[in-house]
Amino acid sequence: MQFSGMILGLAMFVGIWVGHVGVRWLEARSVHIGPPALALFVLGAGLNLAALFGSNLTLAGLGSVLGFIALYSAIEVGRQAWRVQHSHAPANPRNPRHAAYLRAGKGTTVDLLKRDPLGVPQPIIADELPAPPQHIASDCLICGDPACVLGQRGVRVTWQTAGYTAGVRS
Amino acid sequence: MNWAAIAIGLFALGIIGFGFLWVIKLEYYGGYLWWPYALAAGVGLLVSSLFVGDVGWSALVGIFGGSLLWGATELKEQAVRAELGWFKFRQHKRLPPFVKQISRLKPPHL
């Protein structure tokens, strides 16, 4: 029996799992995203370098697989910050960077993915979003223009109208 | 220098990218209830890798299997993302065989 595939396959699954959860955890707790991204980059590069000089293919492959997952996770830290700003991931109000997003009317503390699929488009209801900052309360959530009316559809998308339906990003 | 190990790592990276693609497409056309099939395919590939003699090929089969396991856990969240409007949503999906039995099961997610 050849156990290399099983070892590397399970490492792939666990690596993605830990990377997935770890990136969320790190991004939610880091005031600046640069240091964790750099740490993951150094970890990934180090693992790949070690793999390059490994003599056993299974162990060296393991190092490289985990190394590339770490390198990918370094990029994901930045993408996670984007998700938080666009309400695709919950903001941590204790993190000053996230608190600044919330003050600027970006993001939400609610995990909008924590729900079951219904088989139909699900509107994001206003209660799930943070209270709007006063200065943008009547602005269009798409372009920020208080006078904006989305011409073609004739729908003005603001916090008040809760016309914040599926597909509309803040 | 062990370039074969780096090739295995690059293959894993490519498979992660392919994983995002097939999860989005499978959810769009078939819905998240295909998750047991993805899970079974992943387990099947992992077990098959035990019987591939060559270390390199066994590694590639195992890595692909591991990524299918991960994809199976992502399908439910992808369905929610599509319903929230973050991805394209398709009303009429091609549902999997045994859909009634599958819908009674709790889909896995990380």
Side-chain angles (χ1 to χ4, degrees), chain A residues 138-162:
Chain A
S138 61
D139 295 356
C140 172
L141 283 168
I142 295 174
C143 65
D145 182 355
C148 172
V149 171
L150 292 179
Q152 296 92 336
R153 295 183 207 162
V155 179
R156 184 174 176 177
V157 186
T158 68
W159 294 92
Q160 286 94 346
T161 58

mmCIF file of all heavy atoms in Angstrom, chain A residues 138-162:
data_model
loop_
_atom_site.group_PDB
_atom_site.id
_atom_site.type_symbol
_atom_site.label_atom_id
_atom_site.label_comp_id
_atom_site.label_asym_id
_atom_site.label_seq_id
_atom_site.Cartn_x
_atom_site.Cartn_y
_atom_site.Cartn_z
ATOM 1 N N SER A 138 -29.020 59.021 4.354
ATOM 2 C CA SER A 138 -29.946 59.046 3.225
ATOM 3 C C SER A 138 -29.222 58.873 1.892
ATOM 4 O O SER A 138 -29.792 59.079 0.846
ATOM 5 C CB SER A 138 -30.726 60.364 3.224
ATOM 6 O OG SER A 138 -29.801 61.417 3.085
ATOM 7 N N ASP A 139 -27.948 58.521 1.974
ATOM 8 C CA ASP A 139 -27.186 58.379 0.732
ATOM 9 C C ASP A 139 -27.442 57.013 0.096
ATOM 10 O O ASP A 139 -27.735 56.040 0.776
ATOM 11 C CB ASP A 139 -25.687 58.505 1.007
ATOM 12 C CG ASP A 139 -25.324 59.893 1.496
ATOM 13 O OD1 ASP A 139 -26.219 60.752 1.533
ATOM 14 O OD2 ASP A 139 -24.161 60.093 1.858
ATOM 15 N N CYS A 140 -27.267 56.994 -1.212
ATOM 16 C CA CYS A 140 -27.375 55.723 -1.920
ATOM 17 C C CYS A 140 -26.222 54.817 -1.479
ATOM 18 O O CYS A 140 -25.072 55.254 -1.393
ATOM 19 C CB CYS A 140 -27.289 55.949 -3.420
ATOM 20 S SG CYS A 140 -27.173 54.414 -4.341
ATOM 21 N N LEU A 141 -26.531 53.590 -1.204
ATOM 22 C CA LEU A 141 -25.489 52.686 -0.714
ATOM 23 C C LEU A 141 -24.545 52.247 -1.825
ATOM 24 O O LEU A 141 -23.495 51.684 -1.572
ATOM 25 C CB LEU A 141 -26.129 51.452 -0.077
ATOM 26 C CG LEU A 141 -26.696 51.697 1.318
ATOM 27 C CD1 LEU A 141 -27.547 50.533 1.752
ATOM 28 C CD2 LEU A 141 -25.573 51.906 2.307
ATOM 29 N N ILE A 142 -24.966 52.495 -3.053
ATOM 30 C CA ILE A 142 -24.097 52.065 -4.154
ATOM 31 C C ILE A 142 -23.123 53.171 -4.530
ATOM 32 O O ILE A 142 -21.915 52.955 -4.570
ATOM 33 C CB ILE A 142 -24.936 51.627 -5.373
ATOM 34 C CG1 ILE A 142 -25.743 50.380 -4.992
ATOM 35 C CG2 ILE A 142 -24.049 51.363 -6.581
ATOM 36 C CD1 ILE A 142 -26.699 49.932 -6.037
ATOM 37 N N CYS A 143 -23.646 54.389 -4.758
ATOM 38 C CA CYS A 143 -22.742 55.447 -5.232
ATOM 39 C C CYS A 143 -22.492 56.517 -4.177
ATOM 40 O O CYS A 143 -21.622 57.366 -4.358
ATOM 41 C CB CYS A 143 -23.293 56.080 -6.502
ATOM 42 S SG CYS A 143 -24.834 56.942 -6.219
ATOM 43 N N GLY A 144 -23.248 56.519 -3.082
ATOM 44 C CA GLY A 144 -23.025 57.495 -2.028
ATOM 45 C C GLY A 144 -23.680 58.846 -2.300
ATOM 46 O O GLY A 144 -23.595 59.763 -1.494
ATOM 47 N N ASP A 145 -24.377 58.974 -3.431
ATOM 48 C CA ASP A 145 -24.997 60.251 -3.778
ATOM 49 C C ASP A 145 -26.375 60.352 -3.118
ATOM 50 O O ASP A 145 -27.243 59.513 -3.360
ATOM 51 C CB ASP A 145 -25.129 60.317 -5.312
ATOM 52 C CG ASP A 145 -25.727 61.630 -5.768
ATOM 53 O OD1 ASP A 145 -26.116 62.442 -4.904
ATOM 54 O OD2 ASP A 145 -25.812 61.832 -6.992
ATOM 55 N N PRO A 146 -26.619 61.415 -2.297
ATOM 56 C CA PRO A 146 -27.926 61.522 -1.638
ATOM 57 C C PRO A 146 -29.062 61.692 -2.637
ATOM 58 O O PRO A 146 -30.213 61.360 -2.343
ATOM 59 C CB PRO A 146 -27.780 62.754 -0.744
ATOM 60 C CG PRO A 146 -26.400 63.246 -0.885
ATOM 61 C CD PRO A 146 -25.696 62.478 -1.941
ATOM 62 N N ALA A 147 -28.733 62.212 -3.829
ATOM 63 C CA ALA A 147 -29.800 62.469 -4.817
ATOM 64 C C ALA A 147 -29.989 61.290 -5.769
ATOM 65 O O ALA A 147 -30.792 61.354 -6.686
ATOM 66 C CB ALA A 147 -29.450 63.717 -5.612
ATOM 67 N N CYS A 148 -29.276 60.225 -5.517
ATOM 68 C CA CYS A 148 -29.286 59.126 -6.497
ATOM 69 C C CYS A 148 -30.616 58.364 -6.501
ATOM 70 O O CYS A 148 -31.154 58.001 -5.482
ATOM 71 C CB CYS A 148 -28.161 58.135 -6.187
ATOM 72 S SG CYS A 148 -28.238 56.653 -7.180
ATOM 73 N N VAL A 149 -31.096 58.178 -7.680
ATOM 74 C CA VAL A 149 -32.203 57.240 -7.874
ATOM 75 C C VAL A 149 -31.710 56.297 -8.955
ATOM 76 O O VAL A 149 -31.285 56.740 -10.021
ATOM 77 C CB VAL A 149 -33.477 57.976 -8.348
ATOM 78 C CG1 VAL A 149 -34.541 56.979 -8.760
ATOM 79 C CG2 VAL A 149 -33.997 58.869 -7.251
ATOM 80 N N LEU A 150 -31.721 55.031 -8.662
ATOM 81 C CA LEU A 150 -31.202 54.093 -9.663
ATOM 82 C C LEU A 150 -32.163 54.089 -10.838
ATOM 83 O O LEU A 150 -33.202 53.445 -10.809
ATOM 84 C CB LEU A 150 -31.045 52.688 -9.073
ATOM 85 C CG LEU A 150 -29.950 52.558 -8.022
ATOM 86 C CD1 LEU A 150 -29.909 51.144 -7.492
ATOM 87 C CD2 LEU A 150 -28.607 52.921 -8.621
ATOM 88 N N GLY A 151 -31.807 54.881 -11.845
ATOM 89 C CA GLY A 151 -32.678 55.211 -12.968
ATOM 90 C C GLY A 151 -33.490 54.069 -13.530
ATOM 91 O O GLY A 151 -34.721 54.102 -13.496
ATOM 92 N N GLN A 152 -32.813 53.050 -13.981
ATOM 93 C CA GLN A 152 -33.519 52.001 -14.723
ATOM 94 C C GLN A 152 -34.560 51.291 -13.859
ATOM 95 O O GLN A 152 -35.653 51.006 -14.276
ATOM 96 C CB GLN A 152 -32.527 50.969 -15.263
ATOM 97 C CG GLN A 152 -31.544 51.519 -16.270
ATOM 98 C CD GLN A 152 -30.268 52.000 -15.588
ATOM 99 O OE1 GLN A 152 -30.268 52.335 -14.402
ATOM 100 N NE2 GLN A 152 -29.193 52.060 -16.359
ATOM 101 N N ARG A 153 -34.189 51.029 -12.641
ATOM 102 C CA ARG A 153 -35.110 50.263 -11.790
ATOM 103 C C ARG A 153 -36.030 51.178 -10.993
ATOM 104 O O ARG A 153 -37.035 50.737 -10.464
ATOM 105 C CB ARG A 153 -34.318 49.397 -10.818
ATOM 106 C CG ARG A 153 -33.512 48.338 -11.507
ATOM 107 C CD ARG A 153 -32.830 47.501 -10.457
ATOM 108 N NE ARG A 153 -31.594 46.924 -10.999
ATOM 109 C CZ ARG A 153 -30.633 46.437 -10.264
ATOM 110 N NH1 ARG A 153 -30.738 46.478 -8.954
ATOM 111 N NH2 ARG A 153 -29.564 45.925 -10.798
ATOM 112 N N GLY A 154 -35.646 52.431 -10.869
ATOM 113 C CA GLY A 154 -36.469 53.368 -10.106
ATOM 114 C C GLY A 154 -36.470 53.061 -8.626
ATOM 115 O O GLY A 154 -37.394 53.397 -7.893
ATOM 116 N N VAL A 155 -35.412 52.404 -8.166
ATOM 117 C CA VAL A 155 -35.363 52.049 -6.743
ATOM 118 C C VAL A 155 -34.209 52.791 -6.110
ATOM 119 O O VAL A 155 -33.072 52.715 -6.591
ATOM 120 C CB VAL A 155 -35.145 50.531 -6.551
ATOM 121 C CG1 VAL A 155 -35.063 50.188 -5.060
ATOM 122 C CG2 VAL A 155 -36.270 49.757 -7.197
ATOM 123 N N ARG A 156 -34.483 53.513 -5.071
ATOM 124 C CA ARG A 156 -33.418 54.186 -4.355
ATOM 125 C C ARG A 156 -32.983 53.284 -3.210
ATOM 126 O O ARG A 156 -33.812 52.887 -2.395
ATOM 127 C CB ARG A 156 -33.927 55.515 -3.825
ATOM 128 C CG ARG A 156 -32.838 56.305 -3.163
ATOM 129 C CD ARG A 156 -33.373 57.641 -2.792
ATOM 130 N NE ARG A 156 -32.362 58.374 -2.070
ATOM 131 C CZ ARG A 156 -32.515 59.601 -1.657
ATOM 132 N NH1 ARG A 156 -33.633 60.233 -1.911
ATOM 133 N NH2 ARG A 156 -31.563 60.194 -0.999
ATOM 134 N N VAL A 157 -31.721 52.972 -3.162
ATOM 135 C CA VAL A 157 -31.262 51.993 -2.180
ATOM 136 C C VAL A 157 -30.593 52.728 -1.019
ATOM 137 O O VAL A 157 -29.502 53.252 -1.156
ATOM 138 C CB VAL A 157 -30.271 51.003 -2.805
ATOM 139 C CG1 VAL A 157 -29.912 49.916 -1.808
ATOM 140 C CG2 VAL A 157 -30.876 50.398 -4.048
ATOM 141 N N THR A 158 -31.282 52.812 0.081
ATOM 142 C CA THR A 158 -30.723 53.465 1.258
ATOM 143 C C THR A 158 -30.913 52.552 2.459
ATOM 144 O O THR A 158 -31.626 51.552 2.387
ATOM 145 C CB THR A 158 -31.423 54.803 1.556
ATOM 146 O OG1 THR A 158 -32.750 54.516 1.973
ATOM 147 C CG2 THR A 158 -31.440 55.728 0.364
ATOM 148 N N TRP A 159 -30.295 52.920 3.552
ATOM 149 C CA TRP A 159 -30.493 52.142 4.772
ATOM 150 C C TRP A 159 -31.959 52.205 5.197
ATOM 151 O O TRP A 159 -32.512 51.226 5.674
ATOM 152 C CB TRP A 159 -29.632 52.712 5.894
ATOM 153 C CG TRP A 159 -28.180 52.565 5.665
ATOM 154 C CD1 TRP A 159 -27.354 53.472 5.068
ATOM 155 C CD2 TRP A 159 -27.364 51.459 6.017
ATOM 156 N NE1 TRP A 159 -26.092 52.990 5.017
ATOM 157 C CE2 TRP A 159 -26.052 51.767 5.600
ATOM 158 C CE3 TRP A 159 -27.603 50.239 6.643
ATOM 159 C CZ2 TRP A 159 -24.992 50.901 5.793
ATOM 160 C CZ3 TRP A 159 -26.545 49.383 6.835
ATOM 161 C CH2 TRP A 159 -25.266 49.712 6.408
ATOM 162 N N GLN A 160 -32.579 53.406 5.043
ATOM 163 C CA GLN A 160 -33.941 53.559 5.538
ATOM 164 C C GLN A 160 -34.934 52.697 4.778
ATOM 165 O O GLN A 160 -35.840 52.127 5.360
ATOM 166 C CB GLN A 160 -34.399 55.018 5.432
ATOM 167 C CG GLN A 160 -33.785 55.917 6.457
ATOM 168 C CD GLN A 160 -32.530 56.589 5.891
ATOM 169 O OE1 GLN A 160 -32.015 56.187 4.866
ATOM 170 N NE2 GLN A 160 -32.045 57.569 6.603
ATOM 171 N N THR A 161 -34.779 52.665 3.478
ATOM 172 C CA THR A 161 -35.781 51.932 2.698
ATOM 173 C C THR A 161 -35.634 50.432 2.901
ATOM 174 O O THR A 161 -36.543 49.692 2.573
ATOM 175 C CB THR A 161 -35.623 52.203 1.194
ATOM 176 O OG1 THR A 161 -34.310 51.815 0.818
ATOM 177 C CG2 THR A 161 -35.853 53.658 0.861
ATOM 178 N N ALA A 162 -34.478 50.037 3.439
ATOM 179 C CA ALA A 162 -34.182 48.605 3.562
ATOM 180 C C ALA A 162 -34.390 47.946 2.215
ATOM 181 O O ALA A 162 -34.693 46.774 2.125
ATOM 182 C CB ALA A 162 -35.020 47.931 4.632
#
